[in-house]
Amino acid sequence: MSAMDDLLAFQRQTEALSSVAERLGWDQETVMPRGATEQRSEEMAAMEEVLHERRTDPRIGEWLAAAEPSTEAETRIVELINRDFTRACRVPSRLASEIARTTSLAQGIWAEARANEAPEDYLPVLDKVLSLKREEAAALADGGDLYDALLDDYEPETTGAEIATLFDAMRPRLVALREDVLGAERQPQQLDGHFPQETQLRLARVCAAGFGYDWTRGRLDLAVHPFSSGRWQDSRITTRVVETDPFNCLYSTIHEVGHSSYEQGIDDDYAFTPLGRGVSMGVHESQSRIYENQMGRGRAFTGWLFNRMSDAFDGLNIGDADAFYATVNRVAPGYIRTEADEVQYNLHIMLRFDLERELISGRLETEDLVEAWNARFLKDFGVAVDRPSNGLLQDVHWSVGLFGYFPTYALGNVYAGCLNTALRKAVPDLDESLARGDASPGVEWLRENLQRHGGLMPPRRLIEEATGAAIGPEPLLDYLEEKFGRIYGL
Amino acid sequence: MSAMDDLLAFQRQTEALSSVAERLGWDQETVMPRGATEQRSEEMAAMEEVLHERRTDPRIGEWLAAAEPSTEAETRIVELINRDFTRACRVPSRLASEIARTTSLAQGIWAEARANEAPEDYLPVLDKVLSLKREEAAALADGGDLYDALLDDYEPETTGAEIATLFDAMRPRLVALREDVLGAERQPQQLDGHFPQETQLRLARVCAAGFGYDWTRGRLDLAVHPFSSGRWQDSRITTRVVETDPFNCLYSTIHEVGHSSYEQGIDDDYAFTPLGRGVSMGVHESQSRIYENQMGRGRAFTGWLFNRMSDAFDGLNIGDADAFYATVNRVAPGYIRTEADEVQYNLHIMLRFDLERELISGRLETEDLVEAWNARFLKDFGVAVDRPSNGLLQDVHWSVGLFGYFPTYALGNVYAGCLNTALRKAVPDLDESLARGDASPGVEWLRENLQRHGGLMPPRRLIEEATGAAIGPEPLLDYLEEKFGRIYGL
């Protein structure tokens, strides 16, 4: 056995174990009995300790030093293992455990504070999480920028400064579009009615199949917050059902199919290597967004969906497919990021991105966070936050230590905009299929040009090779202005 | 930290990891997408390797040598860890992997041979499994009896010779009872009809609740072969539905509740120690059997069930509760162990026990196995096996290397007989509750006298302390003769 063989064999097992840990997370959110939390937390901790030991195993350093990769894929595998090994070794075990313990505690405190509208109960533990994450960032950054060191976990090879430039360029056009749309004379109808759970789920399965979800390698379950989980042959999705709002279930499903389809589409040869997963959170989100929005909320697909829903629910209060298209894409004022439409979503992200950068750099203190949040919301959205659960307390992310994660949502939208332009050019008759509820020509193009590569290329190179163009915000902004301009008669 | 603390902390993590592996098994049999087998086998193998490394970790030997247990529980924990460590160290890794690989292969070959009625396709791989298991037994036995070394994995502190004596004492009375019952003039009616899945499952849940199943720490799913899985706060059960035979679903459920209830009933303090699981397969089976048979198939509970089923299925073809009781306990000739009634079940086990002891000792060759099986079946059951899938090919056990496992089923019945005698004496009005579908006084007695102790005492001492009497076959045989004598008017 060469050092390269040893390294690959060891990594294979680590990947398998990490896949087991992920499956345990799925179990917890979908099927686990509610009385099993204590047991599960001990099981997860044991898995995490095994994984941490493996990720910092000194033999990895020796194998890396002696490894002689012989293909492009092997070279990239060595690069990614080296990256993870270096990062894992930089964080002391003591700090890693303390972060795990504190964030687990903080998540509970956050949930209670949100229920009680009491940010003052949450801020002390958030402050503790923040200072631990800053300590982690300092260990990872090795003298570099703290925020970039955290961002690197979710979107490698991008910096906070670059994202700030990108977002600053986007904000004025998004704010203007939001104002035009909300002030427009023509306003879409709302969908009214009662939509039984079983029918919603049946339709969600039809949609998932239309977007190429492979049921032999996945399944659909209910969860409080929809997510996708797992890779390769076992990539599962979840959705939720609100019986007054079927779009919630249907578009959550299509969104998660985007994530899951990416994992299902990765080259089999990469299974159980660092290439066998989506390459970054931003690229992952680009897949979920282009499935959900550019394909799923387009005029063609919603035309098909109008007929299917009319049949399934014995008629709708919306008169025709054009009106239904407007309803699906209705823009309404709102405080909550997860409920935001395509126009406003990125503004929510920008707010969080700017605040978390300030927090990590130390320019903003947690005690001033509520005020900073509310001031910024008023400025960008034109309304005052009415209660803490509609403001700072709406997101779990920071409580569990996810700093540097939020911007990947908006990066995903930007990538989806770029990909959509290239896709429409490459598959000019895509809408003809979408009008039959069939997204397969789009899925196939994405699979061939992006998904199958897994982690083979860094995120930006992957998007640029797939699109044949530099990454920029214009395709997304042009698409949004064109689409919503038309719907709202601007 | 003392050596005792180190030992306990290390064991705690091992128990948690082994609980994760068990959960993965549950996932595979209930919810896993069918295309995920390759991935899952790699995940399971990685977990098994981690567990094997931990079980043979040399530090365990050092801690054991220096550990100073200070309570009865700690003394027993040290004893059990020592036992597992000694056993794990005796089996070379090479052999353990070869057994894992061969049995995984053999299971597939067995399934195909069964489908094709082709024992000749199965025997070569069975022979390989057998020779590997004999090698393992030799390593474990350290000069002692080979079969006992394997039995020790499932029913510690019992020998093949003791079981043979027990079974030899039971066989004549069981054979005689079987003949009397099958030849009796009075024969119970069969249940006829179509019983929809949803109604069966609803009723199964009611039965499970009546037998004290804690839904906050468990759940019920469908599986091809019903099983229970997991411990402490997360002990799940499965059942199956045959729409022409509701007893299959209902009594499988009650049986699995017996297993699961045992795990749920173990003292919380023992969680994540070797005391925190059922102490042996025989004791486990005693719980599932006393729930299913002595309580579940008694006149009192079946009287309640008759009314519930009549309501749920809009009437039955059985006239009254007495006739229904006879129907539930109907004895019919049959080849299949898993479908056998209380009278014939143990005869199936004895056949397998005698054959597998001969196989392990080398007195019987696999090439003569079909003939030996069929001859013995004819002798004990009075009919010739009509096809291989009704004979040797009906059980998966040997293909996966389970030699020494079968007798624990019958031991469980014997233990259940002993427990039932003590229980009826301690709770004389148990039938009054069972007649209302409520087994809780029985469950509470079992919990208090047996279940809560987990692994604290060795199996036989546990049963003898619970019953206040020596273990013997008479209580079971007396119970069977009395019950079936009455039903069949003997």
Side-chain angles (χ1 to χ4, degrees), chain A residues 12-13 19 27 31 33-35 38-39 42-43 49 216 219 231 233-234 236, chain B residues 12-13 19 27 31 33-35 38-39 42-43 49 216 219 231 233-234 236:
Chain A
R12 220 177 153 77
Q13 275 204 338
S19 172
D27 185 275
V31 293
R34 64 185 161 80
E38 207 180 332
Q39 172 166 346
E42 189 128 354
E43 290 164 354
E49 188 156 331
T216 69
R219 51 180 287 127
R231 48 189 94 151
Q233 296 181 331
D234 192 359
R236 306 180 188 181
Chain B
R12 220 178 153 76
Q13 274 204 339
S19 171
D27 185 276
V31 293
R34 65 185 160 81
E38 205 180 334
Q39 173 166 345
E42 189 127 355
E43 290 165 354
E49 187 155 332
T216 69
R219 54 180 286 126
R231 46 189 95 151
Q233 297 180 330
D234 193 358
R236 307 180 187 180

mmCIF file of all heavy atoms in Angstrom, chain A residues 12-13 19 27 31 33-35 38-39 42-43 49 216 219 231 233-234 236, chain B residues 12-13 19 27 31 33-35 38-39 42-43 49 216 219 231 233-234 236:
data_model
loop_
_atom_site.group_PDB
_atom_site.id
_atom_site.type_symbol
_atom_site.label_atom_id
_atom_site.label_comp_id
_atom_site.label_asym_id
_atom_site.label_seq_id
_atom_site.Cartn_x
_atom_site.Cartn_y
_atom_site.Cartn_z
ATOM 1 N N ARG A 12 -11.924 7.197 3.287
ATOM 2 C CA ARG A 12 -13.146 6.473 2.935
ATOM 3 C C ARG A 12 -13.946 6.127 4.188
ATOM 4 O O ARG A 12 -15.156 6.330 4.239
ATOM 5 C CB ARG A 12 -12.729 5.167 2.232
ATOM 6 C CG ARG A 12 -13.580 4.800 1.087
ATOM 7 C CD ARG A 12 -13.140 3.568 0.358
ATOM 8 N NE ARG A 12 -14.355 3.020 -0.229
ATOM 9 C CZ ARG A 12 -14.932 3.530 -1.327
ATOM 10 N NH1 ARG A 12 -14.390 4.528 -1.983
ATOM 11 N NH2 ARG A 12 -16.073 3.025 -1.756
ATOM 12 N N GLN A 13 -13.265 5.615 5.182
ATOM 13 C CA GLN A 13 -13.936 5.270 6.438
ATOM 14 C C GLN A 13 -14.438 6.514 7.156
ATOM 15 O O GLN A 13 -15.529 6.505 7.724
ATOM 16 C CB GLN A 13 -12.977 4.516 7.348
ATOM 17 C CG GLN A 13 -12.940 3.036 7.057
ATOM 18 C CD GLN A 13 -12.489 2.241 8.275
ATOM 19 O OE1 GLN A 13 -11.839 2.781 9.157
ATOM 20 N NE2 GLN A 13 -12.838 0.977 8.312
ATOM 21 N N SER A 19 -21.084 10.207 7.237
ATOM 22 C CA SER A 19 -22.393 9.977 6.637
ATOM 23 C C SER A 19 -23.356 9.345 7.658
ATOM 24 O O SER A 19 -24.559 9.662 7.696
ATOM 25 C CB SER A 19 -22.186 9.075 5.418
ATOM 26 O OG SER A 19 -23.382 8.649 4.880
ATOM 27 N N ASP A 27 -32.564 11.327 11.397
ATOM 28 C CA ASP A 27 -33.440 10.547 12.279
ATOM 29 C C ASP A 27 -34.019 11.442 13.381
ATOM 30 O O ASP A 27 -35.215 11.404 13.670
ATOM 31 C CB ASP A 27 -32.608 9.401 12.889
ATOM 32 C CG ASP A 27 -33.429 8.444 13.728
ATOM 33 O OD1 ASP A 27 -33.644 8.727 14.917
ATOM 34 O OD2 ASP A 27 -33.854 7.412 13.192
ATOM 35 N N VAL A 31 -37.999 11.112 12.703
ATOM 36 C CA VAL A 31 -38.666 9.924 13.250
ATOM 37 C C VAL A 31 -38.332 9.618 14.705
ATOM 38 O O VAL A 31 -38.972 8.768 15.319
ATOM 39 C CB VAL A 31 -38.346 8.662 12.398
ATOM 40 C CG1 VAL A 31 -38.947 8.769 11.018
ATOM 41 C CG2 VAL A 31 -36.844 8.414 12.331
ATOM 42 N N PRO A 33 -38.234 9.237 18.582
ATOM 43 C CA PRO A 33 -39.210 9.488 19.649
ATOM 44 C C PRO A 33 -38.796 10.723 20.453
ATOM 45 O O PRO A 33 -37.602 10.943 20.662
ATOM 46 C CB PRO A 33 -39.100 8.234 20.525
ATOM 47 C CG PRO A 33 -38.403 7.208 19.710
ATOM 48 C CD PRO A 33 -37.563 7.921 18.718
ATOM 49 N N ARG A 34 -39.794 11.481 20.900
ATOM 50 C CA ARG A 34 -39.430 12.749 21.522
ATOM 51 C C ARG A 34 -38.734 12.591 22.863
ATOM 52 O O ARG A 34 -38.028 13.479 23.326
ATOM 53 C CB ARG A 34 -40.644 13.662 21.627
ATOM 54 C CG ARG A 34 -41.752 13.166 22.518
ATOM 55 C CD ARG A 34 -42.957 14.102 22.447
ATOM 56 N NE ARG A 34 -44.156 13.448 22.930
ATOM 57 C CZ ARG A 34 -44.470 13.294 24.218
ATOM 58 N NH1 ARG A 34 -43.669 13.779 25.152
ATOM 59 N NH2 ARG A 34 -45.578 12.672 24.578
ATOM 60 N N GLY A 35 -38.880 11.421 23.494
ATOM 61 C CA GLY A 35 -38.216 11.218 24.780
ATOM 62 C C GLY A 35 -36.757 10.800 24.669
ATOM 63 O O GLY A 35 -36.125 10.513 25.680
ATOM 64 N N GLU A 38 -31.894 12.925 25.309
ATOM 65 C CA GLU A 38 -30.691 12.761 26.126
ATOM 66 C C GLU A 38 -29.796 11.665 25.525
ATOM 67 O O GLU A 38 -28.580 11.843 25.386
ATOM 68 C CB GLU A 38 -31.153 12.341 27.525
ATOM 69 C CG GLU A 38 -30.254 12.696 28.646
ATOM 70 C CD GLU A 38 -30.890 12.202 29.965
ATOM 71 O OE1 GLU A 38 -32.153 12.100 30.036
ATOM 72 O OE2 GLU A 38 -30.130 11.907 30.885
ATOM 73 N N GLN A 39 -30.430 10.555 25.189
ATOM 74 C CA GLN A 39 -29.687 9.453 24.591
ATOM 75 C C GLN A 39 -29.035 9.882 23.279
ATOM 76 O O GLN A 39 -27.863 9.617 23.036
ATOM 77 C CB GLN A 39 -30.635 8.270 24.347
ATOM 78 C CG GLN A 39 -29.991 7.144 23.554
ATOM 79 C CD GLN A 39 -30.797 5.856 23.609
ATOM 80 O OE1 GLN A 39 -31.689 5.706 24.436
ATOM 81 N NE2 GLN A 39 -30.482 4.927 22.740
ATOM 82 N N GLU A 42 -25.950 12.011 23.589
ATOM 83 C CA GLU A 42 -24.759 11.227 23.944
ATOM 84 C C GLU A 42 -24.232 10.435 22.734
ATOM 85 O O GLU A 42 -23.025 10.315 22.538
ATOM 86 C CB GLU A 42 -25.098 10.275 25.103
ATOM 87 C CG GLU A 42 -23.899 9.591 25.681
ATOM 88 C CD GLU A 42 -23.783 9.726 27.203
ATOM 89 O OE1 GLU A 42 -24.593 10.455 27.829
ATOM 90 O OE2 GLU A 42 -22.864 9.108 27.757
ATOM 91 N N GLU A 43 -25.156 9.938 21.922
ATOM 92 C CA GLU A 43 -24.735 9.203 20.722
ATOM 93 C C GLU A 43 -24.023 10.122 19.728
ATOM 94 O O GLU A 43 -22.994 9.768 19.154
ATOM 95 C CB GLU A 43 -25.956 8.551 20.057
ATOM 96 C CG GLU A 43 -26.542 7.393 20.865
ATOM 97 C CD GLU A 43 -27.937 6.978 20.439
ATOM 98 O OE1 GLU A 43 -28.540 7.658 19.569
ATOM 99 O OE2 GLU A 43 -28.458 5.979 20.967
ATOM 100 N N GLU A 49 -16.794 12.731 18.589
ATOM 101 C CA GLU A 49 -15.450 12.527 19.131
ATOM 102 C C GLU A 49 -14.637 11.572 18.252
ATOM 103 O O GLU A 49 -13.463 11.819 17.981
ATOM 104 C CB GLU A 49 -15.528 12.006 20.569
ATOM 105 C CG GLU A 49 -14.152 11.994 21.195
ATOM 106 C CD GLU A 49 -14.183 12.058 22.716
ATOM 107 O OE1 GLU A 49 -15.143 12.649 23.277
ATOM 108 O OE2 GLU A 49 -13.247 11.522 23.321
ATOM 109 N N THR A 216 -35.418 5.859 -5.696
ATOM 110 C CA THR A 216 -34.720 4.658 -5.234
ATOM 111 C C THR A 216 -33.527 5.028 -4.362
ATOM 112 O O THR A 216 -32.939 4.173 -3.707
ATOM 113 C CB THR A 216 -34.202 3.778 -6.401
ATOM 114 O OG1 THR A 216 -33.139 4.466 -7.057
ATOM 115 C CG2 THR A 216 -35.317 3.464 -7.383
ATOM 116 N N ARG A 219 -35.979 9.635 -0.028
ATOM 117 C CA ARG A 219 -37.350 9.543 0.447
ATOM 118 C C ARG A 219 -37.778 10.921 0.939
ATOM 119 O O ARG A 219 -36.948 11.800 1.159
ATOM 120 C CB ARG A 219 -37.512 8.492 1.538
ATOM 121 C CG ARG A 219 -36.531 8.599 2.681
ATOM 122 C CD ARG A 219 -36.758 7.511 3.724
ATOM 123 N NE ARG A 219 -37.950 7.783 4.480
ATOM 124 C CZ ARG A 219 -38.958 6.916 4.643
ATOM 125 N NH1 ARG A 219 -38.885 5.730 4.133
ATOM 126 N NH2 ARG A 219 -40.006 7.250 5.356
ATOM 127 N N ARG A 231 -26.065 11.731 1.093
ATOM 128 C CA ARG A 231 -25.395 11.855 -0.194
ATOM 129 C C ARG A 231 -25.500 10.573 -0.998
ATOM 130 O O ARG A 231 -26.011 9.581 -0.518
ATOM 131 C CB ARG A 231 -23.926 12.197 0.050
ATOM 132 C CG ARG A 231 -23.290 11.307 1.093
ATOM 133 C CD ARG A 231 -21.915 11.794 1.472
ATOM 134 N NE ARG A 231 -21.925 12.651 2.642
ATOM 135 C CZ ARG A 231 -20.892 12.750 3.497
ATOM 136 N NH1 ARG A 231 -19.786 12.089 3.262
ATOM 137 N NH2 ARG A 231 -20.950 13.522 4.550
ATOM 138 N N GLN A 233 -26.163 7.448 -2.617
ATOM 139 C CA GLN A 233 -27.303 6.540 -2.772
ATOM 140 C C GLN A 233 -28.398 6.782 -1.746
ATOM 141 O O GLN A 233 -29.410 6.079 -1.741
ATOM 142 C CB GLN A 233 -26.826 5.088 -2.615
ATOM 143 C CG GLN A 233 -25.853 4.635 -3.687
ATOM 144 C CD GLN A 233 -25.435 3.190 -3.489
ATOM 145 O OE1 GLN A 233 -25.410 2.698 -2.368
ATOM 146 N NE2 GLN A 233 -25.103 2.513 -4.575
ATOM 147 N N ASP A 234 -28.194 7.719 -0.860
ATOM 148 C CA ASP A 234 -29.145 7.879 0.240
ATOM 149 C C ASP A 234 -29.277 9.349 0.605
ATOM 150 O O ASP A 234 -28.796 9.800 1.639
ATOM 151 C CB ASP A 234 -28.665 7.049 1.440
ATOM 152 C CG ASP A 234 -29.736 6.912 2.514
ATOM 153 O OD1 ASP A 234 -30.837 7.466 2.333
ATOM 154 O OD2 ASP A 234 -29.458 6.260 3.542
ATOM 155 N N ARG A 236 -31.924 12.154 1.325
ATOM 156 C CA ARG A 236 -33.334 12.271 1.675
ATOM 157 C C ARG A 236 -33.778 13.725 1.783
ATOM 158 O O ARG A 236 -32.982 14.586 2.117
ATOM 159 C CB ARG A 236 -33.589 11.563 3.018
ATOM 160 C CG ARG A 236 -33.096 10.124 3.011
ATOM 161 C CD ARG A 236 -33.337 9.405 4.323
ATOM 162 N NE ARG A 236 -32.674 8.096 4.288
ATOM 163 C CZ ARG A 236 -32.707 7.211 5.273
ATOM 164 N NH1 ARG A 236 -33.377 7.477 6.382
ATOM 165 N NH2 ARG A 236 -32.073 6.060 5.165
ATOM 166 N N ARG B 12 -18.852 3.876 28.104
ATOM 167 C CA ARG B 12 -20.003 4.723 27.805
ATOM 168 C C ARG B 12 -20.028 5.105 26.330
ATOM 169 O O ARG B 12 -21.063 5.026 25.673
ATOM 170 C CB ARG B 12 -19.884 5.984 28.663
ATOM 171 C CG ARG B 12 -21.155 6.459 29.231
ATOM 172 C CD ARG B 12 -21.051 7.680 30.113
ATOM 173 N NE ARG B 12 -22.348 8.336 30.026
ATOM 174 C CZ ARG B 12 -23.432 7.902 30.654
ATOM 175 N NH1 ARG B 12 -23.387 6.856 31.446
ATOM 176 N NH2 ARG B 12 -24.589 8.515 30.481
ATOM 177 N N GLN B 13 -18.878 5.531 25.831
ATOM 178 C CA GLN B 13 -18.804 5.918 24.419
ATOM 179 C C GLN B 13 -18.991 4.704 23.513
ATOM 180 O O GLN B 13 -19.636 4.800 22.469
ATOM 181 C CB GLN B 13 -17.453 6.555 24.132
ATOM 182 C CG GLN B 13 -17.435 8.041 24.426
ATOM 183 C CD GLN B 13 -16.364 8.744 23.635
ATOM 184 O OE1 GLN B 13 -15.422 8.122 23.178
ATOM 185 N NE2 GLN B 13 -16.513 10.044 23.477
ATOM 186 N N SER B 19 -24.996 1.639 19.996
ATOM 187 C CA SER B 19 -26.398 2.020 19.853
ATOM 188 C C SER B 19 -26.642 2.712 18.493
ATOM 189 O O SER B 19 -27.683 2.509 17.855
ATOM 190 C CB SER B 19 -26.760 2.932 21.031
ATOM 191 O OG SER B 19 -28.014 3.497 20.878
ATOM 192 N N ASP B 27 -32.832 1.520 10.560
ATOM 193 C CA ASP B 27 -33.062 2.363 9.388
ATOM 194 C C ASP B 27 -33.097 1.505 8.122
ATOM 195 O O ASP B 27 -33.988 1.649 7.271
ATOM 196 C CB ASP B 27 -31.933 3.403 9.313
ATOM 197 C CG ASP B 27 -32.122 4.415 8.211
ATOM 198 O OD1 ASP B 27 -31.749 4.133 7.061
ATOM 199 O OD2 ASP B 27 -32.648 5.508 8.500
ATOM 200 N N VAL B 31 -36.816 2.228 6.712
ATOM 201 C CA VAL B 31 -36.998 3.456 5.938
ATOM 202 C C VAL B 31 -35.955 3.685 4.858
ATOM 203 O O VAL B 31 -36.104 4.579 4.029
ATOM 204 C CB VAL B 31 -37.023 4.702 6.868
ATOM 205 C CG1 VAL B 31 -38.251 4.687 7.751
ATOM 206 C CG2 VAL B 31 -35.757 4.814 7.699
ATOM 207 N N PRO B 33 -33.877 3.959 1.573
ATOM 208 C CA PRO B 33 -34.198 3.775 0.154
ATOM 209 C C PRO B 33 -33.554 2.489 -0.362
ATOM 210 O O PRO B 33 -32.443 2.147 0.041
ATOM 211 C CB PRO B 33 -33.549 4.988 -0.520
ATOM 212 C CG PRO B 33 -33.257 5.967 0.562
ATOM 213 C CD PRO B 33 -33.119 5.192 1.820
ATOM 214 N N ARG B 34 -34.260 1.821 -1.275
ATOM 215 C CA ARG B 34 -33.762 0.497 -1.667
ATOM 216 C C ARG B 34 -32.469 0.558 -2.472
ATOM 217 O O ARG B 34 -31.725 -0.420 -2.543
ATOM 218 C CB ARG B 34 -34.843 -0.290 -2.410
ATOM 219 C CG ARG B 34 -35.274 0.267 -3.729
ATOM 220 C CD ARG B 34 -36.446 -0.550 -4.315
ATOM 221 N NE ARG B 34 -37.163 0.219 -5.315
ATOM 222 C CZ ARG B 34 -36.777 0.352 -6.580
ATOM 223 N NH1 ARG B 34 -35.681 -0.233 -6.992
ATOM 224 N NH2 ARG B 34 -37.487 1.089 -7.428
ATOM 225 N N GLY B 35 -32.167 1.727 -3.045
ATOM 226 C CA GLY B 35 -30.919 1.844 -3.816
ATOM 227 C C GLY B 35 -29.690 2.108 -2.971
ATOM 228 O O GLY B 35 -28.609 2.320 -3.506
ATOM 229 N N GLU B 38 -25.393 -0.483 -1.132
ATOM 230 C CA GLU B 38 -23.933 -0.463 -1.232
ATOM 231 C C GLU B 38 -23.361 0.546 -0.229
ATOM 232 O O GLU B 38 -22.424 0.263 0.516
ATOM 233 C CB GLU B 38 -23.595 -0.040 -2.662
ATOM 234 C CG GLU B 38 -22.279 -0.487 -3.173
ATOM 235 C CD GLU B 38 -22.099 0.027 -4.605
ATOM 236 O OE1 GLU B 38 -23.121 0.263 -5.312
ATOM 237 O OE2 GLU B 38 -20.937 0.214 -5.011
ATOM 238 N N GLN B 39 -23.971 1.732 -0.216
ATOM 239 C CA GLN B 39 -23.530 2.779 0.703
ATOM 240 C C GLN B 39 -23.680 2.309 2.149
ATOM 241 O O GLN B 39 -22.779 2.481 2.978
ATOM 242 C CB GLN B 39 -24.358 4.051 0.471
ATOM 243 C CG GLN B 39 -24.082 5.122 1.506
ATOM 244 C CD GLN B 39 -24.625 6.477 1.087
ATOM 245 O OE1 GLN B 39 -24.966 6.693 -0.079
ATOM 246 N NE2 GLN B 39 -24.696 7.403 2.025
ATOM 247 N N GLU B 42 -21.070 -0.105 3.380
ATOM 248 C CA GLU B 42 -19.793 0.562 3.687
ATOM 249 C C GLU B 42 -19.872 1.321 5.020
ATOM 250 O O GLU B 42 -18.934 1.337 5.816
ATOM 251 C CB GLU B 42 -19.418 1.503 2.542
ATOM 252 C CG GLU B 42 -18.029 2.073 2.670
ATOM 253 C CD GLU B 42 -17.169 1.876 1.426
ATOM 254 O OE1 GLU B 42 -17.604 1.202 0.469
ATOM 255 O OE2 GLU B 42 -16.035 2.390 1.428
ATOM 256 N N GLU B 43 -21.022 1.935 5.272
ATOM 257 C CA GLU B 43 -21.211 2.658 6.543
ATOM 258 C C GLU B 43 -21.186 1.695 7.735
ATOM 259 O O GLU B 43 -20.561 1.962 8.765
ATOM 260 C CB GLU B 43 -22.530 3.432 6.516
ATOM 261 C CG GLU B 43 -22.518 4.616 5.560
ATOM 262 C CD GLU B 43 -23.902 5.182 5.246
ATOM 263 O OE1 GLU B 43 -24.907 4.582 5.686
ATOM 264 O OE2 GLU B 43 -23.971 6.210 4.549
ATOM 265 N N GLU B 49 -15.814 -1.556 12.300
ATOM 266 C CA GLU B 49 -14.364 -1.494 12.504
ATOM 267 C C GLU B 49 -14.025 -0.612 13.704
ATOM 268 O O GLU B 49 -13.173 -0.958 14.528
ATOM 269 C CB GLU B 49 -13.660 -1.009 11.237
ATOM 270 C CG GLU B 49 -12.160 -1.115 11.392
ATOM 271 C CD GLU B 49 -11.412 -1.234 10.083
ATOM 272 O OE1 GLU B 49 -11.988 -1.752 9.099
ATOM 273 O OE2 GLU B 49 -10.243 -0.812 10.039
ATOM 274 N N THR B 216 -43.400 7.676 24.000
ATOM 275 C CA THR B 216 -42.455 8.808 23.985
ATOM 276 C C THR B 216 -41.020 8.295 23.833
ATOM 277 O O THR B 216 -40.115 9.068 23.586
ATOM 278 C CB THR B 216 -42.526 9.653 25.276
ATOM 279 O OG1 THR B 216 -41.998 8.880 26.380
ATOM 280 C CG2 THR B 216 -43.951 10.068 25.583
ATOM 281 N N ARG B 219 -41.410 3.821 18.767
ATOM 282 C CA ARG B 219 -42.315 4.022 17.657
ATOM 283 C C ARG B 219 -42.573 2.675 16.985
ATOM 284 O O ARG B 219 -41.852 1.711 17.206
ATOM 285 C CB ARG B 219 -41.800 5.063 16.666
ATOM 286 C CG ARG B 219 -40.398 4.786 16.139
ATOM 287 C CD ARG B 219 -39.945 5.866 15.157
ATOM 288 N NE ARG B 219 -40.622 5.714 13.893
ATOM 289 C CZ ARG B 219 -41.313 6.684 13.287
ATOM 290 N NH1 ARG B 219 -41.390 7.875 13.826
ATOM 291 N NH2 ARG B 219 -41.906 6.474 12.147
ATOM 292 N N ARG B 231 -32.516 0.778 22.727
ATOM 293 C CA ARG B 231 -32.611 0.622 24.175
ATOM 294 C C ARG B 231 -32.999 1.933 24.842
ATOM 295 O O ARG B 231 -33.100 2.956 24.206
ATOM 296 C CB ARG B 231 -31.270 0.139 24.714
ATOM 297 C CG ARG B 231 -30.093 0.920 24.137
ATOM 298 C CD ARG B 231 -28.757 0.303 24.499
ATOM 299 N NE ARG B 231 -28.265 -0.581 23.467
ATOM 300 C CZ ARG B 231 -26.958 -0.805 23.254
ATOM 301 N NH1 ARG B 231 -26.052 -0.264 24.016
ATOM 302 N NH2 ARG B 231 -26.572 -1.591 22.282
ATOM 303 N N GLN B 233 -34.064 5.134 25.992
ATOM 304 C CA GLN B 233 -35.033 6.149 25.574
ATOM 305 C C GLN B 233 -35.480 5.986 24.130
ATOM 306 O O GLN B 233 -36.280 6.777 23.639
ATOM 307 C CB GLN B 233 -34.424 7.550 25.721
ATOM 308 C CG GLN B 233 -34.063 7.923 27.147
ATOM 309 C CD GLN B 233 -33.471 9.319 27.234
ATOM 310 O OE1 GLN B 233 -32.833 9.803 26.296
ATOM 311 N NE2 GLN B 233 -33.682 9.982 28.370
ATOM 312 N N ASP B 234 -34.938 4.995 23.441
ATOM 313 C CA ASP B 234 -35.210 4.908 22.007
ATOM 314 C C ASP B 234 -35.282 3.445 21.586
ATOM 315 O O ASP B 234 -34.386 2.930 20.940
ATOM 316 C CB ASP B 234 -34.115 5.652 21.238
ATOM 317 C CG ASP B 234 -34.490 5.868 19.784
ATOM 318 O OD1 ASP B 234 -35.573 5.413 19.371
ATOM 319 O OD2 ASP B 234 -33.696 6.504 19.056
ATOM 320 N N ARG B 236 -37.472 0.909 19.562
ATOM 321 C CA ARG B 236 -38.511 0.906 18.535
ATOM 322 C C ARG B 236 -38.970 -0.509 18.188
ATOM 323 O O ARG B 236 -38.203 -1.449 18.287
ATOM 324 C CB ARG B 236 -37.986 1.596 17.268
ATOM 325 C CG ARG B 236 -37.429 2.972 17.570
ATOM 326 C CD ARG B 236 -36.892 3.684 16.345
ATOM 327 N NE ARG B 236 -36.232 4.936 16.739
ATOM 328 C CZ ARG B 236 -35.666 5.795 15.896
ATOM 329 N NH1 ARG B 236 -35.680 5.552 14.606
ATOM 330 N NH2 ARG B 236 -35.100 6.890 16.358
#
